[in-house]
Amino acid sequence: MVKRAVLVGCNYPGTEYQLSGCVNDVTNMRKVLTDVYGFDKKNILFMVDTDPTSIRPTGRNIAKQLGDAIKTSKAGDVLYFHFSGHGGQIPGESGCPEDDGEDECIYPTDLNPMTDDFFRILLSKLDPGVIFSFVSDSLHSGGLLDSAELQVGVGENGEVGPETESTRAAVALTSSQKTLNAKELPVSSLIEHLSEASGHEVNVGTIRVTLYELFKADASPTVKVFVKNMISPLEEGIPEEEWGKSYNEVGISALKELKKVWDDKTINNDEYFHSARTVDGPLHFSGFANAKPAGETLPPSTAILVGGCESDQTIVEVPSATAYGALTNTVETVVRKYNGKVTNKKLVNEVRTLMVQEELDQRPCLYCTDDKVNVNFVTGVKYQ
């Protein structure tokens, strides 16, 4: 059995949405994995955006390194993925009435969002015998693995996971807690970043189009599918005055931005749109936000996901001389308390209890199949 890990910490240095504790989080988790779980340092891929000697945690690099770890891992191996940074939601932009969802994502340091589509395609290549655990110390992470079963916590529709030892009472933030840093990137911050990076105005309607402009082949499959759908009126030669029959003003904004590229004689459209036209995999090809492919979602047994909070809460980091994410810090505390011999269920329930004691309005959730509830965190060992 080989134990591998990919640890990603994004502080986004020098930006208005900078965090302080994410690199500390994965630094601490690296020590937990080696000290407690016996990981060999050479099998831990460490990606942070504050150390120029580290592999920079861009969307492209995370996809490459996690993808390589997935391909290399065989039945019986352990693969652990830890992300600490911003999460977010991108609203639907097709302009169709039924496109009223939002794409949940995590943000690498270059803000190339990684959505459920990204993880579905990547993890479809995972050997089912690999014990894969994913801890996401970021907001809006519960939907990243779209087939995961809620075991501990309260779901988006109010359902309580069957292994939840106690639900939460409302917690009013104290004056000191109001200084905590939320690990969520607002849409307004994403738009501001994309406007600066692209050199043109961006609004809701042109977010995905601009993401494709900046990242092309490295863009999320979600973005590629959106662009693939939205260029169809241009391919069909539908005049601009007829776009309003099928799209609202948001969708028309996307079409107008794409038409600038389409009509630009200095751009080879076949090359520019190649990645969008050829996107493939277990995807929903409507281009609608948060749309899941029928019958092609990941098997629920694929992974064990620890999400940072319930859907109506905020994930925070605690600022200090050694700032840290509340989730990562409490996970480390519980793991060390039991010297690593703690089940997924016990870990998450105890982390929830610690957060109550620390007066944090943040309750992590556990998503996995029934058979993974009472196996050991990280290693998957089942104790008799």
Side-chain angles (χ1 to χ4, degrees):
M1 177 183 72
V2 180
K3 300 172 186 174
R4 298 180 180 84
V6 178
L7 310 180
V8 179
C10 297
N11 277 3
Y12 317 94
T15 67
E16 292 185 2
Y17 42 88
Q18 178 172 327
L19 294 169
S20 302
C22 300
V23 172
N24 293 337
D25 286 341
V26 292
T27 300
N28 293 337
M29 283 308 300
R30 179 171 58 179
K31 193 164 178 57
V32 167
L33 293 176
T34 55
D35 291 356
V36 179
Y37 291 110
F39 278 61
D40 190 323
K41 280 188 177 180
K42 71 179 182 183
N43 291 326
I44 299 177
L45 200 289
F46 188 74
M47 305 176 70
V48 296
D49 57 4
T50 56
D51 180 357
T53 66
S54 165
I55 298 175
R56 190 164 177 257
T58 62
R60 177 181 186 175
N61 288 342
I62 296 171
K64 170 71 166 60
Q65 299 302 325
L66 183 56
D68 285 350
I70 285 171
K71 292 174 186 175
T72 304
S73 297
K74 307 300 180 186
D77 289 349
V78 167
L79 178 56
Y80 178 82
F81 178 50
H82 194 110
F83 176 84
S84 183
H86 280 304
Q89 292 178 308
I90 305 174
E93 295 184 293
S94 72
C96 299
E98 56 268 49
D99 187 10
D100 58 358
E102 293 179 304
D103 280 320
E104 294 184 340
C105 63
I106 57 175
Y107 284 108
T109 195
D110 60 350
L111 301 195
N112 182 5
M114 306 175 80
T115 65
D116 61 329
D117 286 337
F118 163 83
F119 286 103
R120 189 184 311 113
I121 288 177
L122 207 62
L123 289 170
S124 66
K125 302 176 177 68
L126 181 71
D127 187 309
V130 174
I131 302 298
F132 177 71
S133 301
F134 176 12
V135 174
S136 184
D137 196 341
S138 62
L139 200 58
H140 302 301
S141 53
L144 292 178
L145 303 183
D146 48 30
S147 297
E149 298 173 1
L150 177 67
Q151 298 289 351
V152 175
V154 179
E156 187 174 354
N157 298 317
E159 71 276 19
V160 179
E163 303 296 339
T164 309
E165 292 182 356
S166 64
T167 54
R168 64 184 175 87
V171 177
L173 289 178
T174 64
S175 58
S176 62
Q177 286 176 283
K178 291 177 183 176
T179 65
L180 300 178
N181 299 324
K183 301 175 80 169
E184 174 184 26
L185 189 79
V187 173
S188 58
S189 294
L190 176 62
I191 286 174
E192 184 177 341
H193 165 78
L194 293 177
S195 297
E196 183 177 341
S198 66
H200 61 72
E201 183 180 354
V202 177
N203 50 45
V204 175
T206 60
I207 293 173
R208 289 172 177 79
V209 171
T210 307
L211 286 168
Y212 185 79
E213 173 190 344
L214 294 173
F215 298 111
K216 300 205 179 54
D218 297 321
S220 164
T222 307
V223 168
K224 294 175 185 175
V225 169
F226 176 83
V227 171
K228 180 177 184 175
N229 275 272
M230 295 304 291
I231 61 173
S232 59
L234 304 178
E235 292 174 322
E236 295 167 16
I238 298 174
E240 189 170 339
E241 57 269 21
E242 293 185 17
W243 291 350
K245 295 178 181 179
S246 303
Y247 304 95
N248 64 17
E249 59 185 20
V250 173
I252 289 174
S253 293
L255 281 167
K256 286 182 176 179
E257 198 63 36
L258 287 168
K259 192 172 188 298
K260 291 177 186 177
V261 176
W262 192 266
D263 293 341
D264 189 335
K265 302 302 182 184
T266 67
I267 296 175
N268 183 314
N269 285 339
D270 287 339
E271 292 180 3
Y272 187 93
F273 292 109
H274 176 75
S275 293
R277 285 170 167 159
T278 57
V279 65
D280 197 15
L283 300 164
H284 194 290
F285 286 93
S286 66
F288 297 166
N290 202 33
K292 312 295 185 187
E296 292 187 287
T297 55
L298 290 172
S301 59
T302 301
I304 298 152
L305 170 65
V306 178
C309 69
E310 294 169 1
S311 61
D312 61 343
Q313 297 175 325
T314 297
I315 289 181
V316 298
E317 70 169 16
V318 180
S320 67
T322 53
Y324 56 83
L327 173 62
T328 302
N329 183 67
T330 48
V331 166
E332 179 188 3
T333 298
V334 175
V335 167
R336 289 194 179 276
K337 174 183 175 181
Y338 293 101
N339 196 30
K341 293 183 178 179
V342 58
T343 65
N344 293 311
K345 171 185 173 179
K346 189 176 185 65
L347 172 84
V348 177
N349 275 310
E350 289 214 12
V351 165
R352 289 167 66 90
T353 298
L354 273 178
M355 291 201 173
V356 171
Q357 294 171 359
E358 295 175 8
E359 298 185 320
L360 294 169
D361 192 21
Q362 179 180 333
R363 303 291 176 270
C365 298
L366 171 65
Y367 301 86
C368 63
T369 47
D370 293 347
D371 62 310
K372 304 268 180 73
V373 169
N374 290 309
V375 302
N376 203 72
F377 178 59
V378 176
T379 65
V381 173
K382 188 171 181 65
Y383 296 108
Q384 300 301 321

